[in-house]
């Protein structure tokens, strides 16, 4: 029989997802290219959980991404490209 | 036997929106470990980067119960949590204490060795970034020889303490080393540790790009180079049986060391000395005198 864990949380579980800490730090963002073979390795290497697998597909949540570039560096197919965040005078946050 | 990434849990129990730096090795270690441990887990973390990037008491990135302990007592708190669970008859919960290299090998050592001696039913994880990064990168006992830190500008003069051998000497159920560059190996070790009835110790090499003075995107790459060069051995000691889980390809240690900012002052004699010690350790000859 599964009993509920004896927990009195002081913060709602996972509440930082709504207000991610590092979103304004990002100076480059990843883009998944067409030659991705869905090996899913980047889902385990992303520190921020910005790339996750959902039903066999990669889902990129830019809201969570800090733009560290680990995914692009580790991708064996070179299927992830880092693109500078500020293009032109007025930069745009996605 | 072999785990595939597609079969892993889809739950994101830790890491989304965390407060750490971009490219944080500790966060990678946490995410990979939580894929193995699952939602029926209680985690205690002493003062460390891992505690702060979990969030303050108003917001948190953890989806599981997370207790921020004082610095020297995470394994002791975990022991108490296990005792409380046992008193209530709850058996399906993993109790984990997760400390940095200071919370494990230095200030946290007395509670760790006590919990290991009592063979408490819990897992202790040391995520090792080889410095006291949360307080500004000072030298600790897990800092490797020659590494420059914020309080040792000429590099550390003595060797890194072999924490895995110390824990092995406690004759606990399971001792393993892991690296964030080999996630499936790490996850397999966590799954094994979770099934043990006694104390398990897992030592994860989790580079900190700030302290190691490497580019943020190369965090995983350096965790891999450390293993491939033979400087960090991936192995497990399962009930006293030692087994190397990954055979390194033995790239020259210079490839790993000299590109890091903290080792940029290394002389060629020091590199040769380190290479020789690796060759001796792995029983590889062919090193001309």
């Amino acid at each position: 029989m599964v009993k509920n864990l004896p927990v009195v949380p002081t913060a709602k579980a996972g509440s930082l997802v709504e207000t991610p800490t590092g979103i304004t730090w990002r100076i480059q963002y990843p883009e998944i290219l067409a030659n991705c073979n869905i090996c899913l390795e980047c889902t385990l290497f992303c520190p921020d959980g910005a790339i996750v697998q959902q039903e066999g597909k990669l889902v990129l949540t830019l809201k969570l991404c800090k733009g560290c570039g680990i995914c692009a560096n580790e991708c064996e197919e070179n299927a992830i490209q880092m693109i500078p965040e500020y293009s032109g005078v007025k930069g745009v946050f996605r | 036997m072999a785990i595939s990434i597609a079969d892993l849990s889809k739950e994101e129990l830790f890491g989304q929106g965390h407060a750490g730096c971009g490219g944080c090795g500790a966060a990678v270690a946490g995410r990979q470990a939580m894929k193995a441990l699952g939602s029926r887990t209680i985690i205690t973390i002493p003062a460390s980067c891992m505690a702060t990037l979990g969030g303050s008491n108003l917001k948190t990135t953890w989806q599981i119960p997370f207790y921020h302990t004082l610095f020297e007592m995470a394994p002791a708190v975990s022991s108490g949590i296990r005792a409380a669970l046992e008193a209530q008859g709850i058996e399906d919960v993993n109790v984990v204490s997760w400390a940095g290299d200071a919370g494990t090998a230095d200030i946290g050592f007395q509670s760790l060795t006590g919990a290991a001696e009592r063979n408490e039913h819990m897992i202790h994880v040391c995520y090792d970034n080889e410095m006291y990064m949360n307080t500004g990168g000072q030298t600790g006992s897990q800092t490797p020889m020659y590494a420059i830190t914020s309080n040792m500008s000429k590099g550390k003069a003595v060797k890194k303490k072999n924490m895995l051998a110390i824990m092995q000497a406690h004759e606990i159920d399971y001792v393993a080393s892991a690296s964030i560059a080999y996630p499936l190996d790490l996850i397999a070790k966590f799954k094994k540790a979770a099934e043990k009835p006694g104390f398990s110790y897992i030592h994860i090499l989790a580079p900190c790009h700030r302290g190691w003075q490497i580019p943020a995107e190369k965090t995983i790459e350096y965790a891999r180079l450390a293993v491939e060069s033979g400087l960090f051995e991936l192995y497990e000691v399962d009930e006293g049986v030692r087994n190397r889980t990954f055979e390194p390809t033995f790239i020259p240690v210079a490839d790993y060391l000299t590109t890091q900012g903290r080792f940029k002052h290394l002389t060629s004699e020091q590199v040769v000395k380190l290479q020789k010690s690796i060759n001796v350790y792995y029983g590889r000859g062919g090193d001309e005198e």
Side-chain angles (χ1 to χ4, degrees), chain B residues 222 225 228-231 250-260 263-264 266-276 278:
Chain B
Y222 276 92
L225 290 178
E228 291 284 7
S229 65
L231 280 167
F250 298 108
I251 59 163
V253 289
D255 290 6
Y256 167 66
L257 295 171
T258 50
T259 45
Q260 292 179 43
F263 288 120
K264 62 173 186 265
L266 276 189
T267 62
S268 52
E269 291 86 57
Q270 287 168 331
V271 174
V272 168
K273 197 173 144 195
L274 283 169
Q275 184 69 61
K276 266 187 190 152
I278 293 293

Side-chain angles (χ1 to χ4, degrees), chain A:
Chain A
M1 183 195 140
V2 174
K3 287 188 183 176
N4 284 329
L5 295 176
V7 180
V8 185
T10 54
K12 199 169 142 274
S15 47
L16 265 178
V17 179
E18 282 114 53
T19 51
T21 319
I23 185 166
T24 54
W25 308 348
R26 197 171 68 221
I27 57 170
Q28 54 179 2
Y29 69 94
E31 194 174 83
I32 301 169
L33 306 177
N35 59 332
C36 170
N37 65 354
I38 318 186
C39 70
L40 302 173
E41 290 234 326
C42 50
T43 62
L44 291 178
F45 289 144
C46 176
D48 297 287
I51 303 183
V52 296
Q53 53 163 323
Q54 272 173 22
E55 291 153 12
K57 280 195 290 189
L58 282 185
V59 179
L60 174 65
T61 316
L62 277 181
K63 189 178 79 160
L64 300 170
C65 175
K66 295 190 180 114
C68 64
I70 284 181
C71 50
N73 193 59
E74 292 305 314
C75 184
E76 285 172 15
E77 302 288 323
N78 290 324
I80 299 180
Q81 191 183 14
M82 298 306 288
I83 297 169
E85 190 70 60
Y86 298 102
S87 50
V89 183
K90 289 182 181 176
V92 178
F93 279 111
R94 262 146 283 265

Side-chain angles (χ1 to χ4, degrees), chain B residues 209-285:
Chain B
H209 64 84
R210 303 276 305 149
W212 295 25
Q213 298 170 36
I214 55 176
E217 71 269 19
K218 294 197 186 289
T219 302
I220 306 283
E221 197 175 314
Y222 276 92
R224 184 177 295 118
L225 290 178
V227 174
E228 291 284 7
S229 65
L231 280 167
F232 191 83
E233 189 188 9
L234 290 188
Y235 69 99
E236 60 179 12
V237 184
D238 189 353
E239 319 253 345
V241 182
R242 195 180 195 280
N243 174 26
R244 192 177 295 157
T245 54
F246 180 81
E247 287 296 332
T249 52
F250 298 108
I251 59 163
V253 289
D255 290 6
Y256 167 66
L257 295 171
T258 50
T259 45
Q260 292 179 43
R262 60 175 181 158
F263 288 120
K264 62 173 186 265
H265 63 298
L266 276 189
T267 62
S268 52
E269 291 86 57
Q270 287 168 331
V271 174
V272 168
K273 197 173 144 195
L274 283 169
Q275 184 69 61
K276 266 187 190 152
S277 70
I278 293 293
N279 291 352
V280 168
Y281 180 78
Y282 288 92
R284 297 170 75 242

